[in-house]
């Protein structure tokens, strides 16, 4: 697993508050016709920080990560990356700034094998006389090493369409890591995973953070957010409804507070006791 590891990205999420954020959104809006999917969103993501985004269906979570990944351009507001104002008009713009997205639908090519999917868009090539051709053997070896480094064991020459949902999820993760991201966006990453593969995913995220990678994780599962995130941001109605750290309160109280933020309804105090 290769990731950027330079002098700028060696901190952990615990000490980011005194540093300039890696990504900063200010007054971000996104409209689709007359519908405002995001309205006045302010959000900061620190280096090597894992931020959890939670909210009900239609709250704006997926729109937010698609805006960060370049799928959607913002309608208004500003985005800064390492203190420099940027505007993403395509996923390539985001990738050039070190931002990779793992989509909920995984966006894999089912008729290609694992290795071909991992290297899709950055294939290894070799010279064959005056012609450059794909080096399938090199990609197979490298993909097998990537999968092994993630603690997994399956044949990288199998077609992705033949894999289980959990295996496909890990192929999508391996592909994203090939681009050596500074920031990894994950939309519902545990939806198709068994308990064992969820544990492996959390271990991998912890290692990525230790290497300086920031994580933005979107999930509707409280357990996902509480397990791995340094900070929890709640989205409601296209706005940031509030944020908190997962260990500020006992788990039951934390979940009650998040539910209150998500719904806007006051939760009786005994429910979070």
């Amino acid at each position: 697993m290769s990731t950027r590891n330079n002098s700028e990205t060696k901190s952990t999420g615990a000490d980011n508050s005194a540093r300039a954020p890696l990504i900063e959104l200010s007054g971000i809006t996104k409209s689709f016709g007359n519908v405002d999917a995001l309205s006045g969103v302010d959000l900061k993501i620190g280096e090597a920080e894992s931020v959890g985004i939670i909210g009900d269906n239609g709250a704006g979570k997926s729109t937010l990560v698609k805006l960060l990944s370049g799928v959607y351009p913002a309608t208004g507001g500003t985005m800064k990356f390492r203190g420099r104002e940027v505007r993403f008009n395509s996923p390539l713009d985001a990738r050039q700034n070190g931002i990779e997205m793992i989509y909920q639908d995984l966006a894999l090519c089912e008729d290609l094998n694992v290795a071909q999917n991992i290297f899709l868009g950055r294939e290894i090539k070799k010279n064959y006389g005056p012609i450059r051709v794909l080096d399938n053997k090199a990609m197979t070896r490298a993909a097998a090493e990537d999968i092994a480094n993630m603690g997994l064991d399956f044949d990288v020459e199998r077609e992705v369409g033949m894999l289980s949902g959990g295996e496909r999820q890990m192929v999508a993760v391996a592909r994203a890591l090939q681009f050596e991201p500074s920031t990894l966006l994950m939309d519902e990453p545990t939806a198709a995973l068994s308990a064992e593969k969820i544990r492996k995913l959390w271990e991998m995220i912890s290692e990525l953070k230790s290497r300086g990678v920031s994580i933005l994780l979107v999930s509707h599962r409280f357990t996902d957010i509480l397990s791995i995130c340094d900070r929890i941001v709640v989205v409601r109605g296209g706005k940031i409804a509030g944020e908190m750290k997962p260990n500020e309160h006992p788990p039951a109280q934390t979940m009650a507070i998040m539910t209150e933020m998500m719904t806007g309804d006051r939760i009786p105090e005994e429910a979070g006791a």
Side-chain angles (χ1 to χ4, degrees):
M1 186 188 328
S2 65
T3 57
R4 287 188 179 89
N5 190 13
N6 56 37
S7 60
E8 291 184 294
T9 57
K10 290 184 180 178
S11 67
T12 62
D15 61 357
N16 283 323
S17 58
R19 308 186 62 190
L22 178 67
I23 297 173
E24 183 174 7
L25 305 182
S26 300
I28 288 292
T29 63
K30 179 59 185 176
S31 301
F32 298 96
N34 295 324
V35 178
D36 294 331
L38 296 175
S39 179
V41 170
D42 297 329
L43 178 66
K44 296 179 181 180
I45 303 171
E47 293 187 8
E49 182 184 28
S50 56
V51 178
I53 303 289
I54 196 165
D56 286 334
N57 290 337
K61 308 185 302 298
S62 292
T63 300
L64 178 59
V65 291
K66 286 180 178 178
L67 185 145
L68 284 167
S69 65
V71 173
Y72 299 147
T75 304
T78 60
M79 180 190 307
K80 291 183 179 180
F81 183 81
R82 298 192 190 279
R84 174 177 56 88
E85 187 169 334
V86 295
R87 179 176 174 83
F88 298 157
N89 293 306
S90 70
L92 180 59
D93 291 342
R95 178 170 290 163
Q96 289 173 339
N97 284 274
I99 300 174
E100 279 294 322
M101 174 77 183
I102 299 174
Y103 297 96
Q104 188 173 1
D105 64 4
L106 305 183
L108 298 173
C109 296
E110 295 198 354
D111 57 342
L112 298 181
N113 68 30
V114 171
Q116 290 167 331
N117 268 279
I118 288 175
F119 283 94
L120 191 63
R122 61 188 310 271
E123 291 83 0
I124 299 174
K125 296 182 179 181
K126 63 181 179 181
N127 292 326
Y128 190 75
I131 303 172
R132 286 184 55 79
V133 297
L134 295 180
D135 192 338
N136 289 307
K137 289 184 178 179
M139 288 189 287
T140 298
R141 286 194 301 269
E145 183 178 347
D146 289 341
I147 292 297
N149 286 342
M150 294 169 66
L152 303 171
D153 180 22
F154 54 85
D155 184 2
V156 298
E157 295 187 273
R158 289 181 65 193
E159 286 191 4
V160 162
M162 303 296 291
L163 300 180
S164 69
E167 288 169 336
R168 294 184 194 193
Q169 177 74 65
M170 293 306 183
V171 172
V173 172
R175 182 179 63 184
L177 296 183
Q178 278 294 325
F179 290 92
E180 299 186 336
S182 63
T183 308
L184 188 60
L185 313 176
M186 310 181 79
D187 191 1
E188 301 287 355
T190 63
L193 299 187
S194 65
E196 174 62 18
K197 284 191 170 62
I198 289 174
R199 183 185 63 79
K200 288 184 180 295
L201 182 63
W202 292 165
E203 290 175 354
M204 185 196 67
I205 288 175
S206 295
E207 175 162 348
L208 289 173
K209 287 172 58 184
S210 75
R211 297 183 180 208
V213 178
S214 301
I215 308 291
L216 185 69
L217 187 151
V218 175
S219 181
H220 69 281
R221 290 163 47 112
F222 287 140
T223 51
D224 289 352
I225 299 294
L226 294 175
S227 295
I228 201 64
C229 294
D230 301 311
R231 185 159 49 96
I232 303 165
V233 175
V234 180
V235 180
R236 184 179 78 243
K239 301 176 183 288
I240 303 298
E243 65 174 68
M244 63 190 303
K245 293 186 176 180
N247 298 320
E248 282 184 301
H249 308 283
Q253 187 177 0
T254 297
M255 288 190 283
I257 293 170
M258 286 193 294
T259 299
E260 183 176 323
M261 289 180 185
M262 287 168 59
T263 63
D265 298 327
R266 179 69 180 169
I267 305 296
E269 289 192 12
E270 58 269 21

